[in-house]
Amino acid sequence: MSFIASMRSRIGAAIAGALPVRVVQRRVGRGPVSATGYEAAANSRLDQDFTPPLLGPNGVNDQTLGLTRRRMRFAFATMSYLRGAKVTFRNNVVDKLGIYPQPNTGDSELDRRLTDLYWEAEEAVDIERKLSMADVQGLIASELMEVGEFFVNRPIVDRFRGVDRGPALQVIDTDRIDISDSTALDDRTSVRQGVIRDSIGRTVGYRLFSTHPSDGSTMMIQPWYRQVIPATQADLSY
């Protein structure tokens, strides 16, 4: 079972109340970002037929969806009962050890060696080499609870903090994906809400703001400055 499929399975069980509730200290995250209005938008990245926004209805819906996302973050940051619900949800989905594989090859010695390999690699999996796999899974569960989507990048990073060069996991704030970024790049490629698709609708990449929109005025001056991440090294689940 893939990592994302496993996450979804645990989330379904958590919603059904099948897993025990555990409470842990809340991880400190980014402060609230307020919005002046909110309403669920009809269009989404799943729509295959769209008009580049400009002043059309898709543009209005995209902006409304962006406000909805920021409003949800603001609500979770300012309402204690929502914060408590997020902690409960997170711990129902990802407990202290996280979601981990349990080999069943039929060879007990091989199963043991595979298990040992996983736990050796489970620590320091993020780009800063600080978070465990369980920590990263917890961040993903929190993102799903708040805004209903998560974005994970899998770059190759150089040796850092004693960890050799290799792949890492980077949970990127989905606010960096510009929902209003929808345009036709050429006859074969288009962008829908920051997701780059080919002529038959396959996802080939993502366009992100190079920094978070709340990090300064640069984004207001140069909103076109974006980072492109290929779909082969990233997952956006929404």
Side-chain angles (χ1 to χ4, degrees):
M1 179 180 293
S2 70
F3 171 68
I4 293 177
S6 176
M7 285 290 293
R8 287 174 175 163
S9 175
R10 294 293 293 271
I11 289 167
I15 293 174
L19 297 175
V21 175
R22 299 181 68 254
V23 178
V24 298
Q25 183 177 0
R26 175 175 174 266
R27 183 183 298 280
V28 177
R30 181 181 296 278
V33 179
S34 62
T36 56
Y38 54 96
E39 181 180 358
N43 289 358
S44 76
R45 299 186 186 94
L46 298 179
D47 296 326
Q48 294 300 315
D49 53 334
F50 71 95
T51 303
L54 299 178
L55 298 178
N58 280 342
V60 174
N61 285 334
D62 287 345
Q63 293 297 331
T64 304
L65 184 58
L67 288 173
T68 303
R69 185 168 62 184
R70 290 192 294 272
R71 176 58 181 169
M72 289 304 298
R73 290 195 186 281
F74 182 77
F76 273 92
T78 57
M79 300 179 183
S80 59
Y81 63 90
L82 284 180
R83 291 199 300 271
K86 183 174 72 171
V87 170
T88 300
F89 177 80
R90 171 177 173 161
N91 288 290
N92 280 345
V93 176
V94 182
D95 59 20
K96 183 171 64 174
L97 295 179
I99 303 171
Y100 55 89
Q102 294 179 298
N104 186 21
T105 64
D107 184 328
S108 59
E109 178 61 20
L110 178 59
D111 289 346
R112 184 190 65 78
R113 294 170 69 178
L114 289 173
T115 299
D116 290 344
L117 284 174
Y118 174 80
W119 290 112
E120 287 174 9
E122 192 269 348
E123 295 294 330
V125 299
D126 67 315
I127 61 173
E128 297 289 340
R129 300 308 191 189
K130 292 180 178 180
L131 303 180
S132 68
M133 180 64 77
D135 293 330
V136 171
Q137 292 171 356
L139 290 175
I140 291 173
S142 296
E143 280 286 284
L144 283 172
M145 182 70 173
E146 283 194 16
V147 295
E149 60 185 3
F150 67 86
F151 186 83
V152 179
N153 185 27
R154 302 185 303 275
I156 301 296
V157 298
D158 292 333
R159 180 178 175 82
F160 189 59
R161 291 201 169 112
V163 179
D164 290 337
R165 175 182 169 83
L169 296 176
Q170 180 185 21
V171 181
I172 296 179
D173 193 328
T174 52
D175 288 345
R176 284 181 54 192
I177 302 175
D178 184 7
I179 290 180
S180 65
D181 182 14
S182 297
T183 187
L185 298 178
D186 52 46
D187 292 339
R188 295 175 297 176
T189 312
S190 60
V191 182
R192 176 61 176 155
Q193 293 184 331
V195 178
I196 306 173
R197 297 184 181 277
D198 64 13
S199 58
I200 61 174
R202 293 176 301 192
T203 300
V204 296
Y206 306 95
R207 296 210 305 183
L208 284 70
F209 288 128
S210 57
T211 59
H212 193 279
S214 297
D215 286 345
S217 60
T218 303
M219 300 310 300
M220 299 300 294
I221 299 172
Q222 293 182 314
W224 58 86
Y225 185 58
R226 292 183 172 92
Q227 172 187 3
V228 176
I229 297 179
T232 53
Q233 76 171 51
D235 292 306
L236 173 62
S237 180
Y238 50 89

